[in-house]
């Protein structure tokens, strides 16, 4: 029976060790699962980094990937989630032609309607930033691109926090300390 592929988000916590990112991504490569987005940053816990990785997979495959990642010596904890278990955001940055924005009032109306923010204006370009879900950012991009005003565009990787009151890794680290 073929399971349905869904977008999963893995939250991986590790010590800040050189080479750990390569070890984590190699697990996906070996299983021939493409990473959709990847964001790495310091977590709320001193000395611990957080990797937010999204990938399309079925549940049995993502479970195997998560277990393999968690076996890595420098990985503290790895857990996979569906979108409804997380609070998720991405950022989009748009560089627009100032001339075209000034000539077409529909452009600034679209920006306001989609809750994006103009963060810089100069004679050559206007920078617009939007925080939201992937689909919202893409919708703004397609709308602006149709009006032929986009000079550059980029979207960040996903950032996410669980809907629980503290990071799951906190409980794990507290238990590990108590066991020592």
């Amino acid at each position: 029976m073929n399971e349905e592929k869904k977008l999963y988000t893995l939250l991986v916590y590790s010590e800040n060790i050189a080479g750990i990112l390569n070890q984590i991504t190699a697990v996906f490569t070996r299983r021939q699962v493409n990473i959709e987005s990847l964001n790495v940053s310091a977590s709320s816990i001193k000395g611990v980094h957080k990797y937010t990785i999204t990938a399309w997979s079925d549940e049995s495959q993502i479970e195997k990937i998560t277990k393999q990642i968690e076996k890595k010596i420098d990985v503290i904890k790895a857990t996979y989630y569906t979108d409804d278990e997380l609070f998720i955001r991405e950022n989009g940055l748009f560089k627009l032609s100032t001339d075209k924005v000034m000539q077409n009032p529909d452009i600034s109306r679209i920006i306001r309607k989609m809750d994006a923010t103009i963060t810089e204006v100069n004679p050559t370009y206007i920078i617009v930033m939007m925080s939201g879900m992937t689909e919202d950012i893409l919708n703004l991009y397609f709308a602006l691109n149709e009006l032929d005003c986009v000079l550059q565009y980029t979207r960040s990787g996903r950032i996410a926090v669980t809907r629980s009151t503290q990071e799951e890794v906190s409980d794990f680290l507290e238990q590990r300390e108590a066991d020592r």
Side-chain angles (χ1 to χ4, degrees), residues 68-83:
Q68 279 188 295
I69 289 171
E70 204 164 36
K71 285 180 187 173
K72 302 292 175 193
I73 197 152
D74 297 316
V75 170
I76 298 166
K77 183 86 177 130
T79 313
Y80 68 91
Y81 299 91
T82 55
D83 284 2

Side-chain angles (χ1 to χ4, degrees), residues 8 68 80 83 88 112 118 122 176-177:
Y8 288 94
Q68 279 188 295
Y80 68 91
D83 284 2
I88 301 161
R112 283 192 308 276
I118 295 174
N122 69 41
R176 190 169 77 175
E177 279 300 308

